[in-house]
Amino acid sequence: MAFTRTAGRLGLLSCHLCNSLTKSAPGAHEGRCSRCGSHLRFRKPDSITRTWALLIASYILFIPANLLPIMHTNSLFGAQSDTILSGVVYLWASGSWHLAVIVFIASILVPSAKLVTLTFLVVSVQRRSTWDPLQRMNMYRILESVGRWSMLDIFVVAMLVALVHLQTLATIRAGAGAVAFGALVVVTMLAAMAFDPRLIWDPQWTRHE
């Protein structure tokens, strides 16, 4: 892999808002964007520590999000509480397999994959791994791009609640699992934002110096 000069090694700070490059003061690790005035840093401070803290919180939230009921249904046929997984099974058994697949991917597969992928990235950076940084950068980009779709399950529950409230034969209430799942999605997104992907490349430069 060819290594070229980077803005950081030339003492230039890159602005994430306006993409401008600003020359830092000698010895400084942060500065202000010369164009928009944003606060700039060469690396996010305490990135690994903050990412680990948010990841651990995500793993803790993952348990109630999947074990507690995500919605309670009351109808003429009785009351029923469903977790995410039992909801997927119910949708599949009732013939709504396409909706079951969407909920399964958005509520179980994507959050699990995000947690595992981000854990792998943090561990690899912490161990200063030199394994395929480009591949790891692609993993981080995918991680960021799919994060916004993780709230799809909450949208489905909210939509069902709104639709059923238009009728009088049944009621649906969001359960504690929905709250835990919403918190899980938000905390996981914060963990991904706290991670500094530029740390992936640092061991490469150390090795070639």
Side-chain angles (χ1 to χ4, degrees):
M1 179 181 297
F3 289 90
T4 58
R5 291 182 176 179
T6 66
R9 297 182 69 80
L10 295 175
L12 298 172
L13 293 161
S14 175
C15 180
H16 293 287
L17 296 179
C18 67
N19 295 324
S20 174
L21 290 176
T22 301
K23 184 72 174 177
S24 65
H29 296 283
E30 56 187 8
R32 290 281 178 185
C33 177
S34 57
R35 179 185 290 172
C36 65
S38 300
H39 192 198
L40 307 178
R41 296 186 179 94
F42 283 112
R43 295 291 182 268
K44 295 178 182 177
D46 302 321
S47 171
I48 294 178
T49 303
R50 289 189 296 118
T51 306
W52 267 125
L54 292 166
L55 262 179
I56 292 171
S58 299
Y59 279 112
I60 293 173
L61 286 168
F62 189 83
I63 298 172
N66 284 277
L67 295 182
L68 295 178
I70 195 168
M71 64 180 181
H72 304 283
T73 308
N74 291 303
S75 67
L76 295 175
F77 304 101
Q80 182 176 342
S81 297
D82 285 300
T83 62
I84 293 176
L85 191 56
S86 69
V88 170
V89 173
Y90 173 78
L91 289 171
W92 185 277
S94 62
S96 303
W97 61 268
H98 49 291
L99 194 56
V101 170
I102 292 174
V103 173
F104 176 78
I105 291 174
S107 305
I108 297 177
L109 190 61
V110 170
S112 303
K114 283 186 67 177
L115 288 176
V116 172
T117 303
L118 191 54
T119 301
F120 168 74
L121 291 176
V122 177
V123 170
S124 69
V125 166
Q126 200 164 20
R127 295 174 62 87
R128 299 188 65 77
S129 170
T130 56
W131 177 79
D132 204 341
L134 189 58
Q135 185 71 22
R136 283 183 285 158
M137 279 300 299
N138 289 332
M139 293 168 67
Y140 181 74
R141 291 191 183 103
I142 295 173
L143 190 72
E144 277 199 315
S145 63
V146 302
R148 68 198 67 171
W149 297 104
S150 300
M151 291 296 281
L152 187 60
D153 189 60
I154 298 298
F155 296 151
V156 171
V157 173
M159 187 174 63
L160 285 175
V161 170
L163 288 174
V164 171
H165 278 183
L166 294 178
Q167 305 173 5
T168 57
L169 299 179
T171 59
I172 293 181
R173 292 182 294 107
V179 178
F181 183 79
L184 166 66
V185 172
V186 172
V187 174
T188 309
M189 289 176 68
L190 292 176
M193 293 170 63
F195 180 72
D196 192 338
R198 294 171 295 188
L199 294 173
I200 293 173
W201 298 93
D202 286 349
Q204 301 290 332
W205 290 110
T206 303
R207 192 179 65 173
H208 286 79
E209 283 179 345

